C-alpha cells in the first residue's frame, strides 16, 4: 500500500502551571494515499492534540511524522466553521490562499468552480450569518479545499450540526473528498458516522492515548455514507468498536 | 399587514410621540418655572441666574464672537485628545498583545492609574507640561488613554481561539493573524468604546480647562465663578450640555455607520 504519511511514536505532554498532562502516550500510524481514516476514542483522549500536531499548530513532545511528499499542503477543519463574520462567503473561502500568497486569478477561478460545484454559488456574496449551519460547514470545506490540500484533517467537523444536517453534510463532504480524491484523517465521536464514512477506523485508548485497534471497513455495496449504514456488516463493526471503546454509561 | 398589527404599530407610534412631547414639556416647564421664580424674586437671580439673563449673556457672547472661540477651543481640544487617545490606545494594545509578558508586568500599574482620581494629578501636570493647551490634552489623555488601552486589549483577548488555530493551520505569521483576524474582529469592540471614550475625553478637557486656560467652555465657567458672574457660569454650563449632547450623538452616528 502506498503511504502518504507515517507517524512514528508521537507523544504529547502538556505542561500547565500546576501539573503535566500526558495527552498522547504513543501514536504510530501509517496513513494510506486516498483513504479516509477515522480516529475514534473517548472524550479527552488526545485526538485533537494529534491533529493539531499534524497540522503544524502544535509540536509533539517526542516522536516525528513524515510525509511522502515534498512540501505537503495541509487542510485543517475544525468543529466550528470559524468563518469570519465581516467577510463574505467568497472572501472567507479565499482566506487560506491570501495567507499563503496564492490568491492568483487561476486559484480564484478554482474557488468559484467549487462554489458552483457544491451549489453555493448564489450565496457567494452573502455574509456567513445569512447561511444555515450546514451551508457554513460546506463553505468551511471549500475554504480548506481552496488551497488544494494533499491531506485533510477534520476534527469533528459535523458535531456542531443537528442530526439531520449532519447526515446530509457528512454525505456531501464524503462525496467531495472522494471526488477530489484527498487523503483524510477525521476525528469523530460518532461510531456510526465513522463506519459509514471511513476506509479504516483507528480506535484509540483512553488518555493518554495509544492505538488500540485498527479496522479495515469492508461493507457490501459500499457507496455513500447514508446507504452504507444499511450494509449487513455495519452492526458487527458497531458492536465491536463500542466494546473496544469501553464506554461506561 | 393584519388590522391588529396596524393598530399595534399605530399605538407604538403614538407612544413615541407622547414620550417626546412630555420630554419637550419638561424642558419648557423647567425654564418657564425658573424664569417665573427669578422674576418674582422667589430665588435670587444673582446666584441662580435666569433664562432671560442667560439669553442676554449668550447674545453678548455671540455678538462679540467669543462664543464660537470658546466652543471651537473646547471642540479642538476634545477631538485632538480623542484621536490621540484612540490611536495611542490602539498601538499600545497591539504591543501588549504581541508581548504578553509585558502585559502581565504592567497590568497592576494600569489598574492603579485607572483607579486614581486623575484630577489629583492636575497641579503636577501644570508644572510639568506648562500652563497651556498641552496640559489640557495631557489631562484628557490621562483619563481616556487607559480606558482605550484596556478596552481594545480586552477586545484582542476575546478573539476566538478556533479562528487563530485556523489561520495558523494556513501557516499565517503573527502579522497576518493581526491583520486578517485580530484587528477586524476587535473593530467592533473599538467602535463600541468610542462613545465611552468621547465622554471621558470631554471630562478631561473641561477639567484641564478649569485648571489652566484662557479659552474654552471650561474657562468660561471657571472665569464666571471667579468674577461672580453667575449668568456667565450658567450660560457656559448650558452650552456645555448642548455641546456634549451633540458630540455624543455624532459619535453614536459614526458608531452605527461603522458597525454595519
Ligand atoms: N493547551 C492545552 N493545555 C493543557 N492541556 C491540554 C491542552 N490541550 C489539551 N489538553 C488536555 O489534553 C488532553 C487531550 O485533549 P484533546 O483536546 O486532544 O482531546 P480530544 O480527544 O480531542 O477530546 P474531545 O473528544 O473532548 O475533543 C485533555 O485532557 C485536555 O485537557
Ligand atoms: Mg477534540
Amino acid at each position: 500500500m502506498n503511504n502518504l504519511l507515517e507517524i512514528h511514536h508521537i507523544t504529547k505532554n502538556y505542561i500547565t502551571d500546576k501539573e503535566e498532562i500526558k495527552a498522547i502516550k504513543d501514536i504510530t500510524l501509517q496513513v494510506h494515499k486516498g483513504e479516509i481514516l477515522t480516529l475514534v476514542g473517548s472524550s479527552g483522549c488526545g485526538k485533537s492534540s494529534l491533529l493539531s500536531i499534524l497540522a503544524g499548530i502544535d509540536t509533539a513532545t517526542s516522536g516525528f511524522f513524515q510525509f511522502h511528499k515534498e512540501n505537503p499542503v495541509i487542510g485543517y477543519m475544525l468543529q466550528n466553521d470559524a468563518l469570519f463574520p465581516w467577510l463574505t462567503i467568497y472572501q472567507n473561502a479565499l482566506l487560506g490562499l491570501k495567507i499563503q500568497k496564492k490568491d492568483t486569478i487561476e486559484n480564484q477561478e478554482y474557488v468559484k468552480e467549487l462554489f458552483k460545484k457544491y451549489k453555493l454559488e448564489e450565496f457567494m456574496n452573502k455574509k456567513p450569518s445569512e447561511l444555515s449551519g450546514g451551508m457554513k460547514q460546506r463553505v468551511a470545506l471549500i475554504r480548506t479545499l481552496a488551497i488544494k490540500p494533499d491531506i485533510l484533517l477534520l476534527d469533528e467537523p459535523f458535531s456542531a450540526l443537528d442530526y439531520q444536517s449532519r447526515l446530509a453534510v457528512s454525505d456531501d463532504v464524503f462525496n467531495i473528498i472522494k471526488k477530489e480524491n484527498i487523503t483524510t484523517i477525521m476525528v469523530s465521536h460518532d461510531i456510526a458516522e465513522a463506519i459509514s464514512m471511513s476506509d479504516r477506523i483507528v480506535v484509540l485508548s483512553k488518555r493518554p492515548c495509544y492505538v488500540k485497534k485498527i479496522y479495515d471497513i469492508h461493507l457490501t455495496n459500499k457507496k455513500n455514507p447514508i446507504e452504507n449504514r444499511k450494509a449487513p456488516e455495519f452492526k458487527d463493526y458497531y458492536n465491536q468498536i463500542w466494546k473496544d471503546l469501553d464506554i461506561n454509561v | 399587514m393584519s388590522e391588529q398589527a396596524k393598530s399595534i404599530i399605530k399605538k407604538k407610534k403614538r407612544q413615541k410621540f407622547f414620550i417626546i412631547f412630555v420630554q419637550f414639556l419638561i424642558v419648557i416647564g423647567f425654564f418657564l418655572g425658573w424664569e417665573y421664580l427669578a422674576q418674582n424674586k422667589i430665588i435670587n437671580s444673582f446666584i441662580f441666574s435666569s433664562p432671560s439673563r442667560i439669553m442676554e449673556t449668550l447674545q453678548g457672547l455671540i455678538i462679540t464672537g467669543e462664543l464660537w472661540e470658546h466652543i471651537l477651543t473646547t471642540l479642538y481640544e476634545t477631538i485632538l485628545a480623542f484621536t490621540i487617545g484612540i490611536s495611542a490606545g490602539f498601538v499600545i494594545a497591539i504591543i501588549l498583545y504581541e508581548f504578553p509578558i509585558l502585559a502581565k508586568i504592567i497590568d497592576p500599574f494600569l489598574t492603579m492609574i485607572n483607579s486614581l482620581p486623575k484630577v489629583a494629578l492636575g497641579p503636577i501636570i501644570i508644572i510639568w507640561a506648562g500652563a497651556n493647551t498641552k496640559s489640557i490634552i495631557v489631562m484628557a489623555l490621562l483619563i481616556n488613554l487607559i480606558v482605550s488601552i484596556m478596552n481594545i486589549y480586552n477586545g484582542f483577548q476575546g478573539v476566538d481561539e478556533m479562528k487563530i488555530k485556523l489561520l495558523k493551520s494556513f501557516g499565517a505569521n503573527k502579522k497576518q493573524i493581526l491583520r486578517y483576524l485580530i484587528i477586524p474582529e476587535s473593530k467592533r469592540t473599538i467602535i463600541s468604546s468610542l462613545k465611552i471614550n468621547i465622554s471621558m475625553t470631554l471630562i478631561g478637557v473641561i477639567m484641564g480647562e478649569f485648571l489652566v486656560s484662557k479659552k474654552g467652555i471650561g474657562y468660561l465657567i471657571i472665569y464666571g465663578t471667579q468674577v461672580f458672574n453667575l449668568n456667565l457660569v450658567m450660560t457656559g454650563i448650558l452650552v456645555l450640555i448642548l455641546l456634549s449632547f451633540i458630540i455624543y450623538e455624532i459619535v453614536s452616528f459614526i458608531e452605527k455607520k461603522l458597525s454595519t
Side-chain angles (χ1 to χ4, degrees), chain B residues 19-215:
Chain B
I19 289 170
I20 293 174
F21 181 69
V22 172
Q23 286 167 336
F24 187 71
L25 275 189
I26 289 173
V27 174
I28 296 290
F30 174 76
F31 283 111
L32 282 180
W34 187 2
E35 186 64 35
Y36 175 83
L37 293 174
Q39 293 276 350
N40 291 287
K41 310 237 166 352
I42 299 168
I43 56 169
N44 185 348
S45 58
F46 182 65
I47 298 175
F48 290 99
S49 189
S50 74
S52 58
R53 282 162 171 246
I54 290 173
M55 285 312 283
E56 253 170 58
T57 314
L58 204 58
Q59 221 168 12
L61 287 172
I62 292 172
I63 289 168
T64 58
E66 273 175 85
L67 185 69
W68 288 121
E69 232 179 292
H70 290 305
I71 290 178
L72 285 181
T73 304
T74 301
L75 206 57
Y76 165 76
E77 288 159 352
T78 306
I79 291 171
L80 190 64
F82 178 70
T83 317
I84 297 175
I86 289 281
S87 6
F90 185 68
V91 172
I92 294 171
I94 287 181
I95 294 171
L96 294 184
Y97 183 78
E98 290 296 320
F99 303 100
I101 299 208
L102 182 66
K104 277 196 185 126
I105 291 172
I106 72 162
D107 178 60
F109 302 113
L110 280 185
T111 315
M112 241 190 279
I113 298 172
N114 195 35
S115 49
L116 177 79
K118 258 65 79 179
V119 84
L121 298 178
I124 310 177
I125 294 173
I126 297 172
I127 294 170
W128 287 347
N132 50 38
T133 312
K134 242 194 278 172
S135 279
I136 298 172
I137 302 297
V138 172
M139 193 74 215
L141 282 178
L142 215 51
I143 293 181
N144 76 5
L145 185 60
I146 309 281
V147 179
S148 282
I149 296 172
M150 285 181 157
N151 267 331
I152 298 172
Y153 180 68
N154 285 339
F156 288 175
Q157 294 257 295
V159 168
D160 182 7
E161 199 61 39
M162 288 270 194
K163 293 190 181 120
I164 296 177
K165 268 194 178 176
L166 174 86
L167 291 190
K168 280 187 180 165
S169 83
F170 286 134
N173 56 33
K174 271 197 154 186
K175 232 170 143 183
Q176 286 176 316
I177 293 178
L178 209 58
R179 176 175 155 210
Y180 286 105
L181 175 62
I182 310 287
I183 291 172
E185 176 123 311
S186 42
K187 200 178 118 190
R188 273 174 281 183
T189 335
I190 296 169
I191 291 169
S192 64
S193 71
L194 292 183
K195 268 200 297 212
I196 307 167
N197 212 287
I198 194 75
S199 310
M200 293 284 188
T201 308
L202 202 55
I203 292 173
V205 164
I206 296 300
M207 223 147 77
E209 284 182 351
F210 276 4
L211 292 171
V212 281
S213 70
K214 294 276 163 293
K215 265 186 233 159

Side-chain angles (χ1 to χ4, degrees), chain A residues 14-16 21-23 41-50 58 79 155-156 187 189 207:
Chain A
Y14 288 105
I15 296 162
T16 65
I21 298 169
K22 278 188 196 303
S42 55
S43 177
C45 79
K47 305 177 294 285
S48 298
S49 303
L50 180 63
D58 208 344
Q79 226 174 67
D155 195 348
E156 305 197 32
V187 166
H189 59 239
R207 182 171 70 89

Side-chain angles (χ1 to χ4, degrees), chain A residues 164-178:
Chain A
Q164 288 254 319
S165 24
R166 190 180 171 126
L167 282 182
V169 175
S170 59
D171 214 58
D172 284 349
V173 168
F174 175 86
N175 289 326
I176 295 168
I177 294 172
K178 282 299 177 193

